[in-house]
Amino acid sequence: MTGAIHPAPPTTLVIFGAMGDLTRRLLMPALTNMTRLGMIGDDFSVLGIGIEPGDDDTLRTALATFRASASTAHASPEQEAAWDRLQARVQYLQGDFTQDDVYARLSDRLSGNAAFYLAVPARFFGDIVDRLAANGLTHESKSAFRRIAIEKPFGHDLASAQALNARILSHVAETQIYRIDHFLGKETVQNIMTARFANMMIERVWNADCIAHVQITAAETVDVGTRGAFYDATGALRDMVPNHLFQLLAMVAMEPPASFDAEAIRNEKGKVLKAVRAYSPAKARRNGVRGAYGAGTIGERAVPAFTASPDIAPDSTTETYVALKLMVDTWRWAGVPFYLRTGKAMEIRDTEVVITFKPVPFAQFHATAAEKLPPNRLIIQIQPDEGLSMDINIKRPGLEVDTAPIALDFRYADSFDIGAMTGYESLIHDLFAGDQTLFQRADAIEAGWAAVQPFLDAWASEGAPDTYAAGTTGPAAADELLARDGFAWHTLDPAKT
């Protein structure tokens, strides 16, 4: 991150679940980076709420211990200095946030701007907002804002998402709600709009006339680990598709907004999600694949089968992999399939968007080795190595007319110092600054669930999902999903782990 940075206004960040994994693994490293970069000043403070006994030093020690054992163990002197500055402004409020007593004590500790971060299991979202409102903590004035940041999952199906939206919005305005999807904090995700709308040569071919299909992949090498209880009740579809993958889909498929203010962008993204074709149960079964990993090896690590993992029912029918074929029914995208896939315990860690263009209408290379040309592709790499790549065809050196595909590559790390950023830095700064561009609105949340509900309904009565070995690229049925249309999945790069 470079250039002039305007510090966020003075704010107290109240973190519900301050001793939890999300706070220690992502939020505090992000806040440390923000302190180092000048995104927050010395008028910023953290007030953590947790049920664990302790005081301010207890929380500071817990966070510092976790930080020292994580990827920041080799932090630079600048990062260490930033942490020292930040931890002096970290305070702890011990108590049970399901009880009103905590909110009364919280009210006594707050004055001025406050943002409430719900780093807690989803079942507590509604209760916390109810109690914040009942204790007057959501009331805004001309001199002080009150905002609420909510992590995923926001509901577990369409009906629950609608109910949670209605419950929260009965207390606060939509302008006070910041539904977080950390994928949107990544530079390359934000750069999708810039690459499209700042480059005429890209936007002019960004349509059904030139694009054959779009693939969106989020592959993970990790298995369910210690999250068995959560994952067995959730599955890959609920965990990844209506939020992460649909946000990428919306960025790719949205129309140019009238302006780059938050509501204009969120309007266009919402239109895309509402235009995703709603399938019948029969069509959902035909256009969706689900799988669960069996025993296998990832690198040199032996991985047990999903159903043999801790806290997973031996007869579980939960999926750890899903592949979908979706259609976006707009003029721009008529007839262009969008293929989405995500899975755990796969061969490669790789999140990417692949735009495959149509072949040239006529190849002037008849009866030569170059008669059949591979299609051009634009590959937007989200993680682990953020960047963009364009596959084009050139003439191979020599006397014969032959072609060779090459890649024009750009990697953020080669040109910019993005450091050990978590992806939360820009999201938290926007939360304090009141910019909702990168946050999901209620209607988009519900549109995303509406699009996946046919798959949830279709799979509810089916048995166990297909099996794929851990350390592979998923079940064979996912390959068949694309093969029916004459396509194949883009090969994930084995160098990316």
Side-chain angles (χ1 to χ4, degrees), residues 153-430:
F154 196 94
H156 62 272
D157 58 14
L158 177 58
S160 61
Q162 291 172 328
L164 183 57
N165 272 327
R167 182 177 182 181
I168 291 174
L169 293 174
S170 69
H171 297 302
V172 295
E174 179 66 43
T175 55
Q176 294 176 265
I177 302 298
Y178 290 69
R179 301 171 187 82
I180 285 184
D181 185 333
H182 70 265
F183 265 39
L184 295 186
K186 297 184 178 296
E187 290 289 349
T188 312
V189 174
Q190 298 177 46
N191 196 42
I192 293 174
M193 286 193 299
T194 306
R196 285 185 57 189
F197 304 137
N199 296 286
M200 179 64 75
M201 65 178 184
I202 291 180
E203 184 59 17
R204 287 295 292 270
V205 298
W206 207 261
N207 53 58
D209 292 339
C210 299
I211 293 176
H213 70 281
V214 177
Q215 298 180 20
I216 302 175
T217 296
E220 299 179 282
T221 54
V222 297
D223 53 29
V224 297
T226 59
R227 301 175 69 225
F230 163 80
Y231 207 85
D232 201 17
T234 305
L237 181 64
R238 287 185 170 95
D239 189 40
M240 293 292 289
V241 175
N243 38 70
H244 296 335
L245 298 193
F246 273 14
Q247 285 301 300
L248 295 177
L249 185 153
M251 288 279 200
V252 170
M254 66 185 284
E255 292 297 318
S259 69
F260 271 75
D261 67 64
E263 287 312 296
I265 291 173
R266 300 207 299 176
N267 285 342
E268 297 303 333
K269 289 169 62 179
K271 290 176 184 177
V272 171
L273 297 178
K274 292 170 187 174
V276 174
R277 184 179 300 173
Y279 289 134
S280 66
K283 288 187 176 180
R285 291 186 182 93
R286 176 172 173 76
N287 291 291
V289 173
R290 62 190 188 122
Y293 64 84
T297 303
I298 303 175
E300 298 180 354
R301 177 171 60 96
V303 177
F306 172 65
T307 51
S309 302
D311 300 319
I312 302 294
D315 59 349
S316 172
T317 60
T318 300
E319 79 284 348
T320 63
Y321 176 101
V322 62
L324 308 176
K325 173 186 174 182
L326 301 174
M327 306 300 293
V328 177
D329 290 330
T330 64
W331 278 32
R332 180 185 291 265
W333 298 108
V336 178
F338 285 72
Y339 301 102
L340 279 59
R341 62 173 167 171
T342 184
K344 286 193 171 296
M346 296 180 69
E347 177 186 20
I348 300 298
R349 175 177 177 251
D350 197 356
T351 301
E352 64 181 23
V353 177
V354 180
I355 313 295
T356 300
F357 293 90
K358 291 181 177 179
V360 294
F362 173 71
Q364 293 89 346
F365 306 102
H366 183 65
T368 73
E371 184 174 1
K372 187 172 178 60
L373 298 174
N376 302 128
R377 290 189 178 93
L378 175 64
I379 302 165
I380 304 168
Q381 189 70 43
I382 310 299
Q383 62 182 13
D385 187 12
E386 295 182 75
L388 292 92
S389 176
M390 184 72 186
D391 291 347
I392 66 171
N393 298 302
I394 64 166
K395 181 185 178 298
R396 189 185 301 274
L399 297 179
E400 293 186 354
V401 178
D402 194 6
T403 61
I406 65 165
L408 305 177
D409 285 322
F410 161 75
R411 291 292 176 265
Y412 264 89
D414 294 339
S415 301
F416 302 100
D417 179 15
I418 58 176
M421 306 295 276
T422 68
Y424 275 80
E425 290 84 0
S426 60
L427 298 174
I428 295 173
H429 184 272
D430 288 353

Side-chain angles (χ1 to χ4, degrees), residues 78-99:
E78 293 80 6
Q79 288 171 315
E80 292 295 345
W83 170 244
D84 289 342
R85 284 174 55 200
L86 176 61
Q87 70 171 337
R89 289 173 277 116
V90 172
Q91 298 178 313
Y92 187 54
L93 178 60
Q94 191 275 330
D96 183 351
F97 56 69
T98 66
Q99 304 299 316

